[in-house]
Structure formats: C-alpha cells, structure tokens
Amino acid sequence: MKSAGRFGPRYGRRIRKDVVAIEEKMRRKHKCPRCERRSVKRIGTGIWRCSKCGLTFAGGAYLPQTPAGIVAARSVRLSSERAERAAAEEAHVSPPKPQSVEDLQSESSASLEGEKDMLLAREREME
C-alpha cells in the first residue's frame, strides 16, 4: 500500500500507484544546484531547500527540476554560448578581402604619387 494506503480502496489502483511513485520521488534527497550535494528537500509546494548550504529556491511542485525546466535551461545555455561565440568572432580582425588586379594597380600608383609628393615637399623645406 505504501503512502497511498491512506486512501483505502478509493480512487482506483492505477491512481494510487501513480501517487506512490510521485511521492517516493518527491521525498528522496535531490542534488543541490549550488553545492552539488544530495541534500535538497521539499519544504513546501514548489519550494526547495538545501540542508548543507542553505540555498532556498523555487522548483517544481513535486521535483526540484521539472523536465520543462531542464529543456528551458538547456536552450538558454545554448543561446548564450552562441552569442559568446559570435562576439568572439567579431572581436577577431577579419583578413582583408582579395582585390582585383586593377584595384591593386591603382592603389600602388596612388601610393607612389603620394610618396613623390612627400619627397618633393621635404626638398622644398630643406631649401
């Protein structure tokens, strides 16, 4: 009968069996999210406390971490990791894009003309 013995013959065998399974999971000690020790107990509906580090947190009504909460935490973690990777990639200087031959020739001729102008200006200053 276990914990569902309090119901007697009421509610049916299947429901009493489910209640026993849920209550067994609920009453065992769970892993603390902060200190990682199996010392979390339920102190109220959806309220859980670690007896070692004293952390009190909200969780599921019968388990500290619900399956939906685990999925949500995983998606938040993955999206933050993607954002960090994107920021790291933006921080790196991207290599220069390849240019056409005409662009390279015009740049080199412009730089040569600029150097000639600088040399002429220095000569004038020295005179």
Side-chain angles (χ1 to χ4, degrees):
M1 284 255 180
K2 297 187 182 181
S3 67
R6 65 186 185 268
F7 299 128
R10 297 182 305 269
Y11 311 116
R13 181 177 173 268
R14 173 72 184 179
I15 292 174
R16 289 193 316 263
K17 186 176 172 185
D18 290 345
V19 166
V20 167
I22 290 169
E23 287 180 349
E24 283 177 354
K25 288 179 189 175
M26 178 182 71
R27 290 193 176 118
R28 71 177 178 215
K29 297 213 177 213
H30 298 276
K31 194 175 186 181
C32 177
R34 183 192 291 166
C35 67
E36 304 274 325
R37 188 172 176 180
R38 291 203 173 276
S39 57
V40 172
K41 289 189 77 173
R42 181 179 186 249
I43 60 171
T45 305
I47 303 171
W48 300 83
R49 179 178 291 146
C50 176
S51 60
K52 180 180 184 268
C53 66
L55 175 68
T56 302
F57 61 97
Y62 304 111
L63 294 173
Q65 290 184 330
T66 62
I70 293 169
V71 170
R74 184 183 324 132
S75 65
V76 167
R77 181 178 48 84
L78 290 175
S79 65
S80 65
E81 286 175 0
R82 285 185 195 126
E84 288 174 3
R85 266 189 260 127
E89 288 175 4
E90 285 181 14
H92 288 63
V93 177
S94 60
K97 295 180 181 176
Q99 298 176 341
S100 65
V101 174
E102 293 83 19
D103 292 339
L104 292 173
Q105 287 175 347
S106 64
E107 282 181 16
S108 64
S109 63
S111 65
L112 287 175
E113 289 175 12
E115 287 178 17
K116 286 179 188 176
D117 292 339
M118 283 178 30
L119 288 173
L120 289 173
R122 282 187 188 164
E123 286 179 11
R124 285 186 204 136
E125 288 176 3
M126 292 187 136
E127 291 177 359

